[in-house]
Amino acid sequence: MSDTAVVRAALSGTQKVAVVLMSMDQTAAAEVMKQFSEVEAEEIIGEIVKLRRVESEVADQVMTEYLDLTIKGGWSSRGGKDFATTLLEASFGAERAGDLMTRVASNMAGKAFEFLDSVDSGQVVTLLDGELPQTIALVLAHMRPDHAAPVLAALDDRERSEVAQCIGMMGTAIPESVRVVADTLKVRAGAVVSSGESMEVVGGVQPLVEIINRADIATEKALLERLDEIDPELADDIRSRMLTFADIVKLERRDVQQVLRGIDTAVLAIAMKGTTEAVIEIIKTNLSERNRELLDDETKNLGPVRASQVEEARAEVVRAIRDLEAQGSITVQRGDEDEYVQ
């Protein structure tokens, strides 16, 4: 079945939502899109990109399930990446729309290598034997991080470092390159899997960080030490991303208290903007009563805050965690280490 036409029987719930939005006036569709979470919006936009066009009779059938929804104007056959991008920009703003489209494209591209999910990591190493570091990097960047980690660990020191460097420096991959690599590996693996549409891929440091986060401590240490020698800037970038603000929940209570001692309550209030209840609770329960009152006052008086300010405030907390960890004052759980029982 072509991706330019669909039949009602094959549509999932998310695809039906995509059909409705594609049929609506763009302004109205943007208003509807605002009601979804970013995760839901990503899934819907991914379907809009793939559907491209929907026959009018299929759209009619789908809309019978939405009897309470009034649509003005005739049916539209719009779809594809341009429509999806425009819709996201109208709904979430240009900056967030760019991030969402990047994640949608990356997720869709990664599906080209889904057949490796069921392949043992040792077999993946065999499949990649003799390939250029750039090719191995392309594959690992699209695998699940927990599946890619043992593959990376199995490479020798030199190859592992070269592959890591390639992942960290990866930008957008040519769709045809993704398709060729995926199809070649499918043939080698003896798998008969139909090729889906390849989208542009965004690599970079984050996929590498996610892989390293799931590797054992020895692999992480050896890899970062080697990268310090061949690409210090990349090594520093990786280290800066190894922890996130949300990772504060992984610390023991006494370690959280050490971190918070050096953070101004005004910074904490900004950093907590939009975070999870778990993070808010761990911070508040580890502050003194006086500082907790100060934090509550700061939070109440805090109006709208730019996303860049929130990120910088969170980065200050992360830097404090990293500094204390480097000094050996606190311990941060990584990868699959055992969690502490409270």
Side-chain angles (χ1 to χ4, degrees), residues 265-333:
T265 52
V267 173
L268 273 181
I270 296 175
M272 289 164 57
K273 192 83 169 176
T275 193
T276 65
E277 288 298 324
V279 172
I280 294 174
E281 181 179 1
I282 200 71
I283 289 175
K284 287 189 172 183
T285 56
N286 284 285
L287 287 173
S288 66
E289 183 176 352
R290 173 58 180 159
N291 284 336
R292 188 159 53 246
E293 291 174 352
L294 291 173
L295 179 61
D296 287 339
D297 289 338
E298 290 284 354
T299 302
K300 290 176 183 177
N301 296 325
L302 193 63
V305 179
R306 291 183 180 277
S308 58
Q309 291 177 277
V310 175
E311 290 302 320
E312 178 54 34
R314 292 180 179 180
E316 185 170 333
V317 177
V318 171
R319 283 193 291 270
I321 296 174
R322 286 182 50 77
D323 289 345
L324 289 170
E325 183 190 29
Q327 296 166 18
S329 301
I330 65 173
T331 301
V332 181
Q333 291 183 33

Side-chain angles (χ1 to χ4, degrees), residues 184-297:
T184 299
L185 291 181
K186 287 173 187 175
V187 172
R188 288 185 187 175
V192 182
V193 183
S194 59
S195 297
E197 179 185 8
S198 293
M199 301 291 294
E200 59 262 52
V201 183
V202 177
V205 177
Q206 193 55 40
L208 175 58
V209 170
E210 291 176 359
I211 292 172
I212 296 176
N213 270 334
R214 289 162 176 79
D216 59 83
I217 300 299
T219 298
E220 174 189 323
K221 185 174 183 295
L223 179 55
L224 289 175
E225 287 178 350
R226 176 60 177 161
L227 284 177
D228 278 332
E229 299 174 7
I230 64 176
D231 196 334
E233 186 176 344
L234 175 59
D236 287 342
D237 197 1
I238 291 172
R239 286 193 174 93
S240 72
R241 303 189 193 200
M242 291 297 289
L243 294 170
T244 67
F245 176 67
D247 288 336
I248 196 170
V249 301
K250 299 179 180 179
L251 303 181
E252 291 190 82
R253 292 178 62 87
R254 62 175 180 273
D255 291 344
V256 175
Q257 291 163 9
Q258 281 197 68
V259 172
L260 297 181
R261 285 193 196 108
I263 306 297
D264 188 89
T265 52
V267 173
L268 273 181
I270 296 175
M272 289 164 57
K273 192 83 169 176
T275 193
T276 65
E277 288 298 324
V279 172
I280 294 174
E281 181 179 1
I282 200 71
I283 289 175
K284 287 189 172 183
T285 56
N286 284 285
L287 287 173
S288 66
E289 183 176 352
R290 173 58 180 159
N291 284 336
R292 188 159 53 246
E293 291 174 352
L294 291 173
L295 179 61
D296 287 339
D297 289 338

Side-chain angles (χ1 to χ4, degrees), residues 40-59:
E40 293 169 333
E42 282 185 51
E43 295 177 356
I44 294 167
I45 288 300
E47 295 300 340
I48 289 176
V49 171
K50 290 188 290 185
L51 288 175
R52 297 183 183 277
R53 180 175 61 85
V54 180
E55 299 297 340
S56 60
E57 65 179 57
V58 175

Side-chain angles (χ1 to χ4, degrees), residues 5-11 16 19 23 51 53-65 75:
V6 294
V7 295
R8 181 174 179 273
L11 291 178
K16 291 176 183 177
V19 170
S23 303
L51 288 175
R53 180 175 61 85
V54 180
E55 299 297 340
S56 60
E57 65 179 57
V58 175
D60 284 335
Q61 292 172 352
V62 171
M63 287 306 297
T64 61
E65 300 181 25
W75 292 111

